[in-house]
Amino acid sequence: MRTYHCFWLLFWAGQPHQSFLTPLSKRISGFPEKEKVFVLSGNSRRDLHRSKRSWMWNQFFLLEEYTGTDYQYVGKLHSDQDKGDGSLKYILSGDGAGDLFIINENTGDIQATKRLDREEKPVYILRAQAINRRTGRPVEPESEFIIKIHDINDNEPMFTKDVYNASIPEMSDVGTFVVQVTATDADDPTYGNSAKVVYSILQGQPYFSVESETGIIKTALLNMDRENREQYQVVIQAKDMGGQMGGLSGTTTVNITLTDVNDNPPRFPQSTYQFRAPESTPPDSPIGRIKANDADVDENAEIEYSITEGDGYDMFGIATDKDTQEGIITVKKALDFENKNLYILKVEATNTHVDPRFLYLGPFKDSATVRIQVEDVDEPPVFSRPAYIMEVKEDIPINSVIGTVTAQDPDAAKNPVKYSVDRHTDMDRVFNINSGNGSIFTSKPLDRETLLWHNITVIAAEINNPKQSSRVPVFIKVLDVNDNAPEFAMFYETFVCENAKAEQLIQTLSAVDKDDSYSGHQFSFSLAPEAASSSNFTLQDNRDNTAGIFTRKTRYNRHEMSTYFLPVVISDNDYPIQSSTETVTIRVCACDHRGKMLSCNAEALIHPTGLSTGALIAILLCIIILLVTVVLFAALRRQRKKEPLIISKEDIRDNIVSYNDEGGGEEDTQAFDIGTLRNPEAIDDNKLRRDIVPETLFMPRRTATARDNTDVRDFINQRLKENDIDPTAPPYDSLATYAYEGNGSVAESLSSLESVTTDGDQDYDYLSDWGPRFKKLADMYGTMDSDKDS
C-alpha cells in the first residue's frame, strides 16, 4: 500500500461568503522520486528527505471591508504528519503575518485581525510551515500561498479636476468639440462593473451634450451668440456600475466661455453730427469726436475712420483713437470765416479685421454726415510776407528809409494797423519804423565792420484792439562801402646792421583792409613825400600786396643815429580811394660777419626778456647779505633789551591821562579796595618801586600805625608828608586816585559840580602846605584869588 504525505489547508465550509477556493491550476499526485533538499538551520546543514508532497491550493480570496466584530476567518493549515497529539507546531510568515494575519499554532487556523482595503493592498504573500515542537525541526518544507482581497464597490468615480474651464468661438456649428472630462474609479476594473464609469450631463442643456463613454463635451445648439450670453456652466456626472441603479457617482463643473468673432458691423448711433470751430484754430488741432458702436470686442471691434467725400476733404482730417475707438476730427489747414464758414463731410467707419465667414450678415462698415460751422473771431493783422530781407549801405544817412513792411486786418471790419519795433531785438535803437505806413528807417549810423546783419522784429497791432497783434522778422544786411584805409598787418620794428651793404632787404611789409572787396584787395606802397628823397632807405612795391624795405647806403653808425622812423603810405584801389601812413621803426645794431645781431637798442625785442646768470647770482647774494644783516640786528637788539621802567598804561609821567574804566557800582569789589584806606596796617611798606632804579638802596622806614579811628583826611595828609621826605620816591609827580567819600567827612564833598554852585569863595592856601608837588597848583589858584581881589 502506498502512503501519501499531504499538507492540507482546510476551508471553513460554514462561511462560504468570506473565503473562496480557486480551482487548482496544477495538482500533483503519486509518489515522486525522493529528492534531497538542503535547508539551513542555525549553523549546521542537515539533509531532509521526503517521499511525497501533494499541493491542494495556491491562492485564496478574502472580502474587503469586513464589518463583523470577530476576527475574519481565512482558512486552516493541516499536515498529514499531525497525529493530533500536539507534537506539531504551525508557523506563519510573510506579509502581515503576526499583525494582520495570525495562526493558531496548534490547530493551524488562520484569521484576519483588521479590516482589509483592496485599494491599499490587493495581494498578500505568506509562507506556512509545520515543525516538530520537541525537536524544532520542520516536518514539511516551507510553502508559499497568496491571499487576494476581493473587491467590493466602495469607491465613487473621481474627476481629475474639480472645475474645468473651456472656451469655444461663438456661432460654432453643432457638435463642435468643447472639452473632455475624465473620471477614475479606484475599484477593481477586472471584477464586475464597480469601475465601469458612464458620463451624463446634469446641467447645461440644451446648449451642450456629453458622450457617455468618453466624457467629450460638444455643442448642441446652433448659432450661440456671445453678445446674448457669454458664460455657461455645465455640470457633468460620472457614475460607476455602468450607470445602473445602486452605483456610486461624482460630479464636476465645466465653465464654458464663448469667445468673440467679428459677426457685428460698426454702426453710428446717429446719421448727422455737427461741430463748431473758430477760424483761429491752429492746424492739427482737434475740433470733435465721433464714434461708431460695435458689439464685438478686442480686435474685432477695431474701427478705421476716413473722410470719403465732402467740400472739406482737404481742410479736415480724421484719425482713430486706439484706446476708445473714436474718430478724432482735426483741422489740416487754416480756416477763414470770411472765405468759407460751412463744411459738410461724409465719414465712414470700417472694421479692420473682417471674418469672411460672416460677410453674409452685411457690409462691415457704416457712414455718417459731419457738418462743421466756422466761427468768426477777431484775428490779428497778417503780414504780406512771413519774413522780410532788406539791404542797406553802411554810409546811408540817418533817417533814410531802407524798406517797408505791410500788414492788414483779415477781418471784415478791416481795422487800421499800427507798426512798432520790438526793442528787445533792437536794444541800441539803430532802426525805427513809421507807425502808420510801416516804413523802416535808420536812426543811428551803420558800420558793416562792426555788425553785418541786424535782425529785428516788427509788431503790427490793431489800433482799436492792441491785444490783437502779430510779429514778423526783418533781416537787414549792411552792405560795405570803402570807408576804411588799409593798414599794416602787424606792428613792424626791425633793425639794420652797421656793416650792411646797399640795396639789402631788411624787412617785408604786408597790409590788411577792414573793408570787403568783391574783386580782391590791391594795395600800393610808397614812401611819404617828406622821406622819399632824404631817407636812408628805399621802398619797393612788389605788386602782390607786399613791399620790401632796402638799404640805400653801405654803412650805418648807431652812435650817430641809433633809430630811423620810416613813414610808408598804403593805398587801396577801391572807390573812393583810401590811404593811410604807417611808420616802420628801424634800429641800427652791431652785427657779426654773418649778419647776426649782437647789440642794439632793439635787443629786448629780439631776445626773450630776462636777466643773465651773473646778474641773477649777484641779486641772490645781495638778498642773502640783507637777510643776514637783519638777523644779526634782531639778535643784538634782543640781548640789549631790558625790562621797561613802567608799562604804558601805568606811566605816571604822561601829560594826558585817559579815564576809560567804568566801575560796576556798589557790587563791584574788584575795582578798588576801600579797606586799604580804612586799614593802613594792610599796606606793605617793604615793596620796592619798579618804575625807577635807585642809586642807593635805602631801607624803607616803617611808619607808625595809625589809630583805628583815624580820619581819612588825616591819613592822606600823613601819607603825603611821608612821600615828600622819602628819598626813594620818584623825582616826578605821581597820580593818586581817591575813591572814598564819607558822610560828614572833614574834607566834605569832593565833587566839582557842587563847588561850582557855591557862592562863597574858597581858600586854597592849604595847597601850599602839601609840599613842592602841589606848588604849581597853589600858584595857579593863588594867582586867581589875587586877580579876583584886584
Side-chain angles (χ1 to χ4, degrees):
M1 176 182 290
R2 293 183 179 178
T3 302
Y4 295 88
H5 302 276
C6 300
F7 191 32
W8 296 88
L9 176 62
L10 303 180
F11 298 97
W12 188 255
Q15 297 179 352
H17 62 281
Q18 293 183 355
S19 61
F20 301 89
L21 178 65
T22 60
L24 296 177
S25 59
K26 180 179 180 181
R27 181 180 298 272
I28 303 176
S29 61
F31 295 90
E33 292 184 356
K34 296 182 180 179
E35 57 180 350
K36 185 181 289 185
V37 180
F38 296 90
V39 180
L40 293 176
S41 176
N43 296 325
S44 62
R45 295 183 179 178
R46 303 186 61 183
D47 295 339
L48 299 178
H49 300 274
R50 71 178 180 181
S51 302
K52 174 251 182 186
R53 180 174 62 181
S54 178
W55 295 98
M56 300 297 294
W57 51 273
N58 62 354
Q59 64 180 359
F60 306 96
F61 291 94
L62 188 64
L63 290 177
E64 66 171 338
E65 305 295 343
Y66 173 70
T67 58
T69 57
D70 298 333
Y71 289 164
Q72 186 177 7
Y73 188 78
V74 178
K76 184 179 181 64
L77 294 178
H78 183 73
S79 175
D80 57 357
Q81 299 292 329
D82 188 357
K83 304 300 182 181
D85 54 359
S87 60
L88 295 182
K89 178 181 179 181
Y90 295 97
I91 298 175
L92 187 65
S93 62
D95 295 339
D99 180 19
L100 186 58
F101 299 100
I102 59 175
I103 187 171
N104 190 317
E105 62 182 14
N106 295 322
T107 62
D109 294 328
I110 302 175
Q111 293 177 314
T113 62
K114 299 180 182 179
R115 292 177 60 181
L116 303 177
D117 189 357
R118 189 200 67 83
E119 286 72 34
E120 293 182 1
K121 189 173 180 64
V123 177
Y124 294 88
I125 301 175
L126 294 97
R127 294 178 295 279
Q129 191 175 32
I131 62 174
N132 191 294
R133 189 183 297 272
R134 182 175 59 85
T135 62
R137 295 179 180 178
V139 297
E140 292 286 350
E142 187 177 57
S143 300
E144 183 178 271
F145 63 95
I146 298 174
I147 298 178
K148 287 188 176 182
I149 307 302
H150 186 69
D151 183 47
I152 63 174
N153 189 19
D154 59 343
N155 292 278
E156 70 276 4
M158 299 292 293
F159 284 94
T160 56
K161 296 181 181 179
D162 294 334
V163 177
Y164 289 83
N165 294 303
S167 62
I168 58 170
E170 62 174 333
M171 309 298 289
S172 297
D173 296 332
V174 176
T176 301
F177 173 83
V178 179
V179 68
Q180 183 177 10
V181 296
T182 303
T184 58
D185 197 317
D187 293 327
D188 189 359
T190 62
Y191 179 76
N193 294 326
S194 298
K196 185 177 181 181
V197 179
V198 175
Y199 299 94
S200 62
I201 185 168
L202 301 182
Q203 176 183 323
Q205 294 175 333
Y207 306 103
F208 300 95
S209 62
V210 63
E211 293 183 356
S212 60
E213 295 183 357
T214 61
I216 296 176
I217 300 175
K218 298 180 180 181
T219 57
L221 188 65
L222 185 64
N223 294 333
M224 287 189 291
D225 193 359
R226 184 198 65 84
E227 287 72 31
N228 294 330
R229 183 178 178 182
E230 185 177 3
Q231 298 287 340
Y232 293 87
Q233 190 174 74
V234 179
V235 178
I236 302 297
Q237 181 189 67
K239 190 174 184 181
D240 59 10
M241 299 296 294
Q244 298 177 5
M245 185 177 297
L248 303 178
S249 64
T251 60
T252 187
T253 301
V254 182
N255 295 323
I256 302 174
T257 302
L258 297 184
T259 58
D260 185 57
V261 297
N262 192 6
D263 59 340
N264 293 281
R267 291 290 181 263
F268 283 105
Q270 58 192 67
S271 59
T272 304
Y273 295 85
Q274 291 188 2
F275 298 100
R276 293 180 178 272
E279 63 175 334
S280 59
T281 304
D284 298 329
S285 299
I287 61 173
R289 289 172 175 252
I290 60 175
K291 183 177 182 180
N293 298 325
D294 193 327
D296 298 322
V297 295
D298 299 332
E299 67 174 12
N300 296 319
E302 293 182 0
I303 300 174
E304 185 75 25
Y305 295 91
S306 61
I307 298 176
T308 57
E309 59 183 62
D311 53 0
Y313 182 82
D314 58 340
M315 297 294 295
F316 300 93
I318 189 169
T320 303
D321 188 335
K322 298 300 182 181
D323 297 329
T324 62
Q325 297 301 317
E326 293 178 318
I328 305 174
I329 301 175
T330 58
V331 177
K332 294 173 62 177
K333 296 182 179 180
L335 303 176
D336 189 359
F337 174 82
E338 290 74 22
N339 186 22
K340 187 175 180 61
N341 56 16
L342 179 63
Y343 295 89
I344 300 177
L345 308 175
K346 185 178 181 181
V347 178
E348 188 175 78
T350 307
N351 275 140
T352 56
H353 299 86
V354 178
D355 194 336
R357 296 177 300 171
F358 305 103
L359 290 177
Y360 66 91
L361 298 177
F364 282 78
K365 60 183 178 179
D366 194 15
S367 60
T369 301
V370 178
R371 297 170 59 89
I372 302 175
Q373 183 72 42
V374 181
E375 297 179 343
D376 187 24
V377 296
D378 190 6
E379 299 176 274
V382 178
F383 285 94
S384 59
R385 301 178 188 175
Y388 292 86
I389 300 177
M390 301 179 183
E391 293 182 349
V392 59
K393 291 186 177 181
E394 60 178 328
D395 61 346
I396 188 173
I398 298 176
N399 295 327
S400 299
V401 177
I402 63 174
T404 303
V405 297
T406 304
Q408 291 182 354
D409 183 12
D411 298 325
K414 300 296 180 182
N415 294 321
V417 177
K418 65 177 181 179
Y419 303 91
S420 62
V421 176
D422 186 358
R423 291 306 174 188
H424 292 90
T425 60
D426 186 22
M427 301 295 292
D428 297 332
R429 295 181 176 269
V430 179
F431 301 95
N432 211 334
I433 190 171
N434 189 307
S435 61
N437 57 19
S439 59
I440 302 174
F441 57 90
T442 59
S443 58
K444 288 184 179 181
L446 302 178
D447 187 5
R448 188 201 67 87
E449 288 72 31
T450 303
L451 186 61
L452 177 61
W453 283 92
H454 294 268
N455 302 328
I456 66 174
T457 299
V458 175
I459 304 173
E462 294 182 7
I463 296 178
N464 298 333
N465 187 9
K467 293 183 178 179
Q468 294 295 334
S469 62
S470 57
R471 297 166 175 262
V472 67
V474 179
F475 306 103
I476 303 174
K477 182 179 181 181
V478 181
L479 301 179
D480 184 48
V481 296
N482 192 24
D483 58 345
N484 291 280
E487 57 188 13
F488 280 151
M490 58 179 294
F491 176 72
Y492 289 103
E493 185 174 2
T494 185
F495 71 95
V496 62
C497 295
E498 288 183 310
N499 56 356
K501 298 180 180 180
E503 301 299 327
Q504 181 178 343
L505 177 65
I506 62 174
Q507 182 65 49
T508 300
L509 308 177
S510 62
V512 293
D513 195 335
K514 295 181 180 179
D515 294 324
D516 189 14
S517 177
Y518 299 100
S519 60
H521 290 292
Q522 292 183 4
F523 304 124
S524 60
F525 299 85
S526 62
L527 292 178
E530 63 273 13
S533 58
S534 60
S535 176
N536 293 309
F537 303 92
T538 60
L539 181 68
Q540 180 179 345
D541 192 347
N542 297 328
R543 304 298 179 183
D544 59 354
N545 293 337
T546 62
I549 300 177
F550 295 86
T551 57
R552 176 173 288 182
K553 60 181 183 178
T554 302
R555 297 187 61 85
Y556 296 87
N557 190 343
R558 60 178 174 145
H559 300 289
E560 295 179 357
M561 189 70 174
S562 61
T563 304
Y564 294 91
F565 298 98
L566 187 64
V568 178
V569 178
I570 310 172
S571 303
D572 57 19
N573 64 339
D574 291 333
Y575 180 82
I577 296 177
Q578 300 288 341
S579 64
S580 65
T581 301
E582 302 288 334
T583 302
V584 179
T585 303
I586 304 174
R587 299 185 182 275
V588 180
C589 302
C591 302
D592 56 10
H593 64 282
R594 293 177 298 179
K596 184 178 180 180
M597 181 183 65
L598 297 177
S599 175
C600 68
N601 295 334
E603 182 178 359
L605 299 174
I606 304 302
H607 296 284
T609 303
L611 298 176
S612 64
T613 304
L616 293 175
I617 294 175
I619 293 174
L620 184 60
L621 290 176
C622 292
I623 293 173
I624 294 174
I625 293 172
L626 180 60
L627 292 176
V628 171
T629 303
V630 172
V631 172
L632 291 177
F633 178 76
L636 293 176
R637 186 179 181 87
R638 183 184 298 274
Q639 292 179 358
R640 295 179 181 179
K641 185 176 181 181
K642 294 184 178 181
E643 185 179 7
L645 295 177
I646 186 169
I647 59 178
S648 61
K649 291 185 179 181
E650 299 178 354
D651 193 352
I652 58 177
R653 293 172 294 179
D654 293 343
N655 294 327
I656 300 176
V657 181
S658 299
Y659 300 92
N660 55 4
D661 184 26
E662 180 178 354
E666 295 180 356
E667 296 181 357
D668 187 3
T669 59
Q670 303 298 327
F672 61 89
D673 187 5
I674 194 65
T676 304
L677 297 178
R678 296 178 177 177
N679 186 14
E681 294 180 355
I683 302 175
D684 189 0
D685 293 332
N686 296 327
K687 293 183 179 179
L688 298 179
R689 295 181 64 93
R690 297 178 58 195
D691 53 350
I692 61 173
V693 180
E695 296 179 358
T696 305
L697 183 60
F698 294 92
M699 293 300 295
R701 294 182 294 104
R702 185 173 184 83
T703 59
T705 304
R707 296 189 304 274
D708 295 338
N709 58 355
T710 302
D711 190 81
V712 175
R713 182 171 182 176
D714 295 337
F715 166 73
I716 294 176
N717 292 332
Q718 182 179 356
R719 294 291 293 177
L720 179 61
K721 185 176 180 181
E722 291 176 356
N723 287 331
D724 289 340
I725 64 176
D726 188 3
T728 62
Y732 43 81
D733 292 342
S734 177
L735 178 65
T737 302
Y738 302 95
Y740 173 77
E741 179 180 353
N743 293 328
S745 164
V746 178
E748 297 180 348
S749 176
L750 300 179
S751 174
S752 61
L753 297 177
E754 184 179 354
S755 62
V756 173
T757 60
T758 304
D759 296 333
D761 297 334
Q762 295 189 19
D763 185 9
Y764 297 102
D765 292 341
Y766 64 88
L767 294 176
S768 301
D769 299 335
W770 285 7
R773 297 178 182 274
F774 294 89
K775 185 177 183 304
K776 183 67 175 176
L777 188 60
D779 291 343
M780 292 174 59
Y781 281 90
T783 304
M784 292 175 60
D785 292 342
S786 61
D787 293 340
K788 185 182 300 184
D789 295 339
S790 62

